[in-house]
Every structure is written in C-alpha cells, then in structure tokens.
Amino acid sequence: MIEQLEELKTRALEELARIQDLDRLEEWRITYLGKRSELNQILRGIGTLAPADRRTVGQIANDVKSVLEGESAARRAQLEQIAREAEIARERVDVTLPPRPIARGQCHPLSLITEEIVAAFRALGYDVVEGPEVEWDKYNFEMLNIPAEHPARDVWDTFYVKTTDGIPQGQVVLRTHTSPMQIRVMQARRPPIRVIVPGRAYRYEATDATHESEFYQIEGLAVDEHITMADLKGTLTAFAHAVFGPERRTRFRVDFFPFVEPGAEMAIDCHACRGSGCRICKNTGWIEIMGAGMVHPKVLEGVGYDPAKYTGFAFGMGPERVAMLKYGIDDIRLFKTNDLRFLQQFR
Ligand code: DAH
C-alpha cells in the first residue's frame, strides 16, 4: 500500500507538470483528489488495516494528499496568471494608431469676398450696417423714387409677402435690393453718413448661370456737405484697387436708377486679360461691377434732408458677381450647391 501511494504520487505529479490549461487541471483534480480517486479509496480502506499499520499508512496517505493539493493549487495559480496575461494581451489597445484628421471648416467664398469688399470700405471710414430682408414697399420702392405703377418697377421682379394684422396686401416685400437701407440709415442718422450694407435680396426670377432668386448685395452710401461725383469716382476706384489690384483702371458710364441723378455704371478693365479681351470680360476688355450715382434730390427731401445743403453718392454691387469675376467662376449656382470640391478651393 505504501508503494502504491508512492507510485500514485509520482504519477500524479508527473501528469500535473504536463498540464497546460485549467480544464485539464480540473480533470486531474477529479482523477487524483476526487471522491472516487484512488487516493480516497486508499484513505477509506485504512480502517480495515491492522491498528499498527493504520498510523503509518494514514500518515503517508495524508502527506501524499497534501502534497498533491499544494502542488495543484500552485499550478492553478500559475495557469490563472498565464490566462490573465493572455487576456490582457488580447485586449490591448493600440494607442499608436494615428488619429483621423479633424475636418476643419472654412469660410464660404461669398463670406470671403464680402469680408474683403467690406474691409476695403472700412479702411475708408465706412460703418457696416445690416437691415431687414422682409421690407416695406415704402422703403424698397417708394422712398427710393420708384412710385407704385411706375415702369421702373419692372426692373425688380418682386416677391410680395402675405400680411396679417390688417396691413393691406402689397405693402410688404422681400427686399429686391439693399438700397432700402439708404432710407433707413438716413432716417436714423444725420450726416456725415458713410455706411456699407451687405445683405441678402430676393427677386421673382428664374435661376440660370448668372441669376438666382436669392442673392447678396452690398450697398454703400455717403452723405455730407460738398460731396461730388469726384468723391464717388475716387472712392469706387480705391475699392477696385483694393479688391482687383492697384493697376486697375475704372470706367464710369451713364446709367439710370430712379434713386440717383446722375446715375452711373462702373466698370474696371479686365484683370484677367488686362483689357485685351477674353472669356471673363466677354471680349470687351471691361467688366461692369456695379451701379452707382449721386443720391437723387427727391430721395434726400423724402428723409428730410435739404438737398441744397447735403449731397451724397450711393452704389450697389453683387458679391456673387464680384467673386465670379475675381475667381473666374462661370455659374452662380455653384455658391449654393454645397459641393466641397468647389468650396474648398477658397481659403
Ligand atoms: N439697387 C440697384 C439694383 O439692385 C443697384 C444700385 C444702383 C444701387 C445704383 C445703388 C445705386 O445704390 O446708386 O440694381
């Protein structure tokens, strides 16, 4: 029996040394230390031995049991440690993976050109003001010397706004230009006035490569004593130099707008071909960029200014058109289609 115990111990320890995972170890435990194990049978049989042998065999059997228990516990701890390390290795996060670049926004080309135009006038002492896009007919037309039923109204195809609160229909419009701000500013301030007014305007018009029903304008107004057409020309030439280059030449020709007299259309020599004729200037060598003129005496009178004392000039341009000319963009709709390939060219 003692030999059997010794043999059992050697065999169990040898097998234990070869065990590599916890499931095997459990099987090993059942085989060697379980209820029905050889060792347990020996322990149970001790009672049948002669009393003199019981002590020795019992002692050896218990020693074998505690050696096996101790060794297997140690092995278990070892295997658990290995399993834990394997798990940690599996779950390891690779913090060296380069991050995805953060998508960085940028200004829309119309914001950029507006900023540039506004900055050119700010440098000349102009204030920036903004006004309502839903406007009174009175400001959009009447006080700009465009009475109801006047044929000049045909120039501005108008969206009328349905009104409530007892306001008669036809008195509220989506402003067709930023010029009504001339009236609002002159009513709210007294000369000297120098303002630049960027903002949106609307026209009831079909969309094509050069027209949108919703678009931007930048209005300008200067009113003071002794302002002349020379001031208008000097100011607008300074603007053209700032935005299109200091070598630009300007051309002023007569044009008609009811709220100015005389009225003018301003052109610059083509910055792309320097005046020799190209696609951008449609082979004319000149690019028309805005309407302008001396504020009409009737408009001044309408806001309570004495036209014998005060004079002024006004101008209005479309930043879409300025951007298209400056950057050679051939379709105004590109500004609104949100195509990143287009938008990302302007930084
Ligand atoms: N408001 C005009 C338009 O929308 C542009 C314009 C022309 C503005 C002459 C002015 C001006 O201030 O003096 O067509």
Side-chain angles (χ1 to χ4, degrees):
M1 223 174 215
I2 291 169
E3 266 169 39
Q4 192 192 348
L5 280 167
E6 287 301 331
E7 185 274 334
L8 177 65
K9 179 177 154 192
T10 313
R11 180 155 42 93
L13 290 178
E14 265 173 25
E15 252 176 63
L16 182 64
R18 269 182 266 122
I19 284 172
Q20 297 298 340
D21 68 78
L22 291 164
D23 289 346
R24 287 280 107 65
L25 183 64
E26 181 58 12
E27 286 169 18
W28 179 95
R29 192 193 61 76
I30 291 164
T31 310
Y32 290 102
L33 292 168
K35 270 203 192 97
R36 287 197 244 146
S37 63
E38 221 176 311
L39 182 61
N40 218 24
Q41 272 159 26
I42 294 172
L43 282 167
R44 263 186 277 156
I46 284 172
T48 63
L49 294 177
D53 296 334
R54 267 184 219 165
R55 226 182 112 85
T56 342
V57 176
Q59 177 129 33
I60 291 170
N62 278 320
D63 282 354
V64 169
K65 188 177 180 182
S66 70
V67 167
L68 295 186
E69 277 171 354
E71 289 297 307
S72 68
R75 187 74 186 137
R76 175 176 298 275
Q78 222 173 27
L79 291 175
E80 277 170 356
Q81 171 71 12
I82 289 167
R84 235 186 338 269
E85 277 166 9
E87 189 177 351
I88 288 167
R90 244 191 338 272
E91 290 179 354
R92 185 167 162 254
V93 175
D94 183 357
V95 294
T96 66
L97 186 70
R100 256 165 272 178
I102 296 166
R104 183 150 175 251
Q106 63 185 81
C107 285
H108 190 279
L110 282 179
S111 300
L112 293 174
I113 199 79
T114 300
E115 189 46 52
E116 203 178 329
I117 294 167
V118 164
F121 286 101
R122 248 205 215 112
L124 299 173
Y126 282 66
D127 286 348
V128 182
V129 295
E130 290 179 297
E133 294 173 17
V134 178
E135 183 58 284
W136 296 104
D137 176 280
K138 186 174 82 169
Y139 291 136
N140 193 82
F141 291 122
E142 239 160 278
M143 295 185 77
L144 286 167
N145 195 30
I146 315 167
E149 316 303 334
H150 192 281
R153 285 215 179 189
D154 293 351
V155 176
W156 295 278
D157 295 298
T158 309
F159 285 113
Y160 285 87
V161 176
K162 249 192 196 152
T163 48
T164 54
D165 299 341
I167 299 165
Q169 295 303 310
Q171 293 200 8
V172 179
V173 302
L174 292 185
R175 66 180 178 190
T176 58
H177 49 180
T178 44
S179 303
M181 277 304 286
Q182 293 185 30
I183 307 299
R184 287 181 176 273
V185 168
M186 286 191 284
Q187 283 185 340
R189 303 184 181 192
R190 293 287 118 181
I193 288 169
R194 278 180 193 76
V195 291
I196 188 91
V197 189
R200 229 186 304 243
Y202 301 84
R203 283 188 204 168
Y204 182 57
E205 240 177 11
T207 296
D208 64 24
T210 52
H211 297 86
E212 280 270 25
S213 54
E214 180 204 341
F215 55 96
Y216 287 87
Q217 282 199 338
I218 299 179
E219 193 82 13
L221 175 71
V223 182
D224 201 350
E225 292 178 33
H226 314 301
I227 288 194
T228 69
M229 190 113 188
D231 298 309
L232 179 160
K233 292 175 78 174
T235 300
L236 296 183
T237 301
F239 148 78
H241 289 172
V243 174
F244 287 95
E247 66 282 8
R248 289 281 70 72
R249 290 186 300 137
T250 53
R251 182 189 72 180
F252 293 86
R253 296 200 299 191
V254 173
D255 200 348
F256 174 74
F257 300 95
F259 35 92
V260 284
E261 183 59 36
E265 152 245 285
M266 178 201 176
I268 53 174
D269 64 333
C270 181
H271 57 282
C273 65
R274 295 191 154 68
S276 62
C278 69
R279 192 176 56 85
I280 290 180
C281 60
K282 299 202 178 97
N283 282 317
T284 63
W286 292 95
I287 294 174
E288 292 163 15
I289 51 176
M290 67 174 107
M294 301 305 291
V295 180
H296 198 291
K298 277 195 178 168
V299 172
L300 293 171
E301 275 167 6
V303 292
Y305 289 11
D306 177 1
K309 186 174 180 198
Y310 294 113
T311 52
F313 63 84
F315 54 89
M317 70 184 103
E320 284 93 342
R321 184 168 155 74
V322 173
M324 288 169 79
L325 294 168
K326 181 159 177 166
Y327 301 120
I329 297 163
D330 60 7
D331 195 322
I332 194 171
R333 292 169 290 199
L334 284 166
F335 291 120
K336 287 212 273 186
T337 42
N338 265 343
D339 186 336
L340 291 181
R341 292 169 304 174
F342 169 74
L343 295 173
Q344 284 174 344
Q345 295 175 63
F346 309 93
R347 291 210 180 247

